[in-house]
Amino acid sequence: MKFTSSLFKAKAPIDKYSLYVPKTGVFPKKFEVGSIATGVKKNGNLDLGIIVNRNTSRKSTSSAVFTTNRFKAAPVLKSKEVLESNNYEGVNAIVVNSGCANSMTGEVGMRDAEKMCDLVNNKLHLDNQTLIMSTGVIGQKLQMEKIANGIDKIKFGSGFEDWLNMAKSICTTDTFPKLISSQFKLQNGKVYTLTGISKGAGMICPNMATLLGYLVTDLPISSRGIKKILSFAGERSFNCISVDGDMSTNDTICMIANGAVETDVVDVDSPDFEDVCKNVTSFAQQLAQLVVRDGEGATKFVTVRVTKSKTFEDAKIIAETISNSSLVKTALYGEDANWGRILCAVGYSKTENYDSLDENKLNVKFVATDGSTPSELPLLINGVPNLDVDEARASEILALNDLEIVVELNTGEEECNFWTCDLTHEYVTINGDYRS
Amino acid sequence: MKFTSSLFKAKAPIDKYSLYVPKTGVFPKKFEVGSIATGVKKNGNLDLGIIVNRNTSRKSTSSAVFTTNRFKAAPVLKSKEVLESNNYEGVNAIVVNSGCANSMTGEVGMRDAEKMCDLVNNKLHLDNQTLIMSTGVIGQKLQMEKIANGIDKIKFGSGFEDWLNMAKSICTTDTFPKLISSQFKLQNGKVYTLTGISKGAGMICPNMATLLGYLVTDLPISSRGIKKILSFAGERSFNCISVDGDMSTNDTICMIANGAVETDVVDVDSPDFEDVCKNVTSFAQQLAQLVVRDGEGATKFVTVRVTKSKTFEDAKIIAETISNSSLVKTALYGEDANWGRILCAVGYSKTENYDSLDENKLNVKFVATDGSTPSELPLLINGVPNLDVDEARASEILALNDLEIVVELNTGEEECNFWTCDLTHEYVTINGDYRS
C-alpha cells in the first residue's frame, strides 16, 4: 500500500539541513577525499567516495568496530581481513559506496568487494591498504561496471566542498549529510584536527538500516592506542543510539590516524592518552547524535541518562531498554507524559547484575533542556511513584524537541547516556511503504 | 497532538467481533460468573467481574504465571500471596477490574487490593480464597467506593451471556471480548470442559499494555500437576506472542481446576497427564492468539515458526527477535516482501547457545496459509540467500491477512511458534495520542 506521508505531519518539519550541516570546516593534514555519481543511485546523486591518506612520512594506524550481526556483509568481512593482514598499520584508503549494500550476496559479493578494493589500490598505488564500506539495497549485486568506471574517474581534493560531497556520497535516505570537524591541543601546545563522517539508519526498501561512520585525525597514535580509543568511544557513542533497535549486516565505524602532525606517537601510557580518549569519545558522540537527529520520521531527540550505577553495563542495558520501547517512543511522539511506560521499561530491562538496580533507591525524572523551570520533574522518588506529578509541566517538557529522561540508580558512580528518537507515523510510512 | 486515525486506514477493517466472538458456549460444571459496571470506566461499560467455584465436594487446585517485570502491581503481589498461603489449593474466586490497574500505587494500592479481596471473600463466605487482577490506568488509585458498591450488587449465573459479559468486563481497548470453550475426553470416556478468557495488549493512556488470562476446568488435577501444565502451556502460548515487545506490571495468567466431574485426580504420573498437558497448551495458544488478533492497530496475524532447533529456548529467542523487529513489522504492514529484514533479525537474535544456529544449515521462507500455491517461498536455502526470489509471489503472500514466516535451523528437533502482528499507523495513533 502507498501512504501519503504529508497527512501525518503533525507540525512543521524542522529544517535539519540548515541546523546540522556546517558551512565551513578545517580538516586533518594530508588527507584527501573524492566522490562521484556512478549511476548506481537511480536519482543520479553522489554514490561513491574515497578517502586517502597522503602522508608518507610515517605509517598510519587504524581500528574499526563492526556489526555483531551474524550475517556480515561482504565489505565487512573484507575490511576485517585488510585490517588484520596489515596488523592495523599502513591502511591508507577507505572506499564507500551507497545504493547497494552488497549484503546477502554470497561468493559473488565477496569477489566484488575484493575487486572494488583492488581497483582503489591500483589507482592509488597501494598494496592491499584499502578498507571498504557499502550501504543500500541488500540481496542485490554491485553494478561493478559503473563502480569501476566511477573509481577510474574520481578526483581528489581537501577543501570543504570535497569533504561535504564525501559525506553526501555515503547517504541513503539521510535527510542531511553528517560531517563534523574539531581541533584540540595537547600538553605540547600543538593543535590536531579530527574529522568525522557518518550516515544514518536510513532505508531504501528493501534494505535495512545501515550505520556507517569514520573518524580521521592527523594526531599520531599507536595501533594499540587507537584500538583502545575507538572501542571506548564507540561503546559510548554509536553503540548508545537507537532509532528502531534493529542492527544491520553492514554497520561499521572506523578510525585512521596518519600522524601528519610531526609529534610523538600517543600510546596507551602517554600522559595525553586519557585526554585524547575523552576528546575522541565526545566527538564520536556528536557524530552519533546526528544519526538520531536524522532518525527516520523522528520529531524528537531524547537523551536517556542512567546515572549512579554500580556498573556501566547495567546503566547501558537500562538506558537501551527505555530507548527501544515502542510504548515510550510513541508516547514521546504523542507528547503524552506517559511516565508509567518509562518505569515499566526500567522494570523489564534485563540487567544481568542486579546489584545496580535497587527499586528502593530509584529516582526517575523528566528534564527540560531549554532552560525553563522547574527543569526537573520527578516521576519516581526513592522507588515511590510520584502520584502528584505536575501533568501540565510534564506536557510542557514533552512538547520540547529536545529533552532528557534521567534514571538515577543510586547504587554506584557509573553512568550511560543513550540517545533515541520518537516513533512516528512517518517512521511507519517510510518503512512500511513499498520499495520505490 | 491529535491524529485522525481514519486517514491511515489502507483497507477496510476486518470485522473481528463477528469473526472471533462465539455465539454460544458450553462451560465447566460448578463455576459461576458475574459482572457489573461500577462506574470506574467513564463510558459506563462493564468493568468488574467475579468468577466463583461452587463445587464443595472437593478442594480446587490452581496455579498462576505472573509478569517478570520488577515493578509488580499490587494485585499481582496479592494474588501471589493468596496462592502461596493456600498452598495452591482451595482458591475459589477471581475478581477482575478494568479501568484502573492499581499499579505504581505503593502502600495504598496494596491495601486497596487486599480490601477488594476481603469484600469478595465476605460476599462469597470464603476465607482468603480470592485471587485479584486489575488492568487499566496506572499510577492512579482504585475508586474503592464504586468497586465496593459493585461487588455488593453483583449477581452470578452460568449461562453463555454471563460468561460473555465476564469476558467483556475485563476489556480495556480490546475491540472484542476473548472467550473460548472446548471439551475433551480422556481414556475413561468422560467429557471435561475447559473455558478461557483473556484480554489484550490494549491501552488506555496513560497506562501500558496488560495481558490477563484465566483458564477454568472441571477436570480434577493435582496441585503439582496444574502447576506443571500451566507453566508448560504458558511458555508456549502467552509467552509466545508479541504486539509491541513491552511487558506490563500486571500480566497474569491463572488456572483453576475444580474437579466438578467426579473422576480420579490427574497427577503428573497419570497416563492421561501428557494428553491433558497437550490439550491445555493448544487451548492456551488459541486464547493467546486472540490477543494478537486484537493487537493495537494490527491488520495482519503472522505466525513465526522456528523449527528443527537444538533447543526450544534458542528457537524461542530467534522467533521472538523476528516477532519484535520494528522493521519486520512495518514491512509486513506495507506488504513489502522485505526478506532482508527477517534474515537481519535472525542474525542479531541473541541465542545464548550458538549450537542451535548454524548459518550454513539455515532455511528461511514465507508460507501462504490460504491454500494458494506455491505455498512455500524460499528466501534463504542452506544459508545461501535466494537472489531469484519470486517477488510477485512474495507480494501475494504478504498481502494475506494471515501468513507464516518459517525459519528452519536444521540443528535439532525442537521448535517454537510465535505469534505477532504488523506495526501500523493505527498503532502509533493509539499509543501516541493524548490520554482521552
Side-chain angles (χ1 to χ4, degrees), chain A residues 133-197:
Chain A
M133 302 181 185
S134 302
T135 178
V137 182
I138 70 139
Q140 289 186 15
K141 296 176 207 155
L142 284 170
Q143 301 172 53
M144 286 307 290
E145 205 170 301
K146 291 177 177 174
I147 284 175
N149 194 11
I151 291 173
D152 180 51
K153 290 209 176 58
I154 209 161
K155 302 257 175 305
F156 294 93
S158 56
F160 171 72
E161 284 304 324
D162 301 306
W163 282 94
L164 188 61
N165 285 333
M166 177 75 201
K168 286 178 179 171
S169 72
I170 75 171
C171 290
T172 53
T173 55
D174 302 61
T175 67
F176 61 88
K178 295 159 188 67
L179 167 71
I180 58 174
S181 232
S182 86
Q183 294 192 305
F184 57 94
K185 252 189 202 170
L186 295 186
Q187 291 168 27
N188 60 18
K190 286 277 191 334
V191 174
Y192 305 89
T193 307
L194 182 59
T195 291
I197 290 177

Side-chain angles (χ1 to χ4, degrees), chain A residues 200-219:
Chain A
M203 307 282 150
I204 304 170
C205 292
N207 83 336
M208 63 196 71
T210 295
L211 175 70
L212 296 182
Y214 43 88
L215 290 73
V216 291
T217 182
D218 47 24
L219 170 73

Side-chain angles (χ1 to χ4, degrees), chain A residues 1 8 10 69-70 138 206 246-247 325 333-336 338 340-341 344 347-348 354 357 425 429 431-432 434-435, chain B residues 1 8 10 69-70 138 206 246-247 325 333-336 340-341 344 347-348 354 357 425 429 431-432 434-435:
Chain A
M1 70 198 77
F8 315 133
N69 194 302
R70 304 185 77 202
I138 70 139
D246 276 67
M247 179 211 288
S325 162
Y333 175 45
E335 301 182 354
D336 183 354
N338 202 326
R341 296 182 183 176
C344 178
Y348 69 75
Y354 283 85
L357 182 49
H425 288 114
T429 298
N431 292 308
Y434 270 128
R435 68 208 71 186
Chain B
M1 70 199 75
F8 316 133
N69 194 302
R70 304 185 78 199
I138 72 139
D246 276 66
M247 178 210 289
S325 162
Y333 176 44
E335 300 181 354
D336 183 354
R341 296 182 183 176
C344 178
Y348 69 74
Y354 284 83
L357 182 49
H425 288 114
T429 299
N431 292 308
Y434 270 127
R435 69 208 72 187

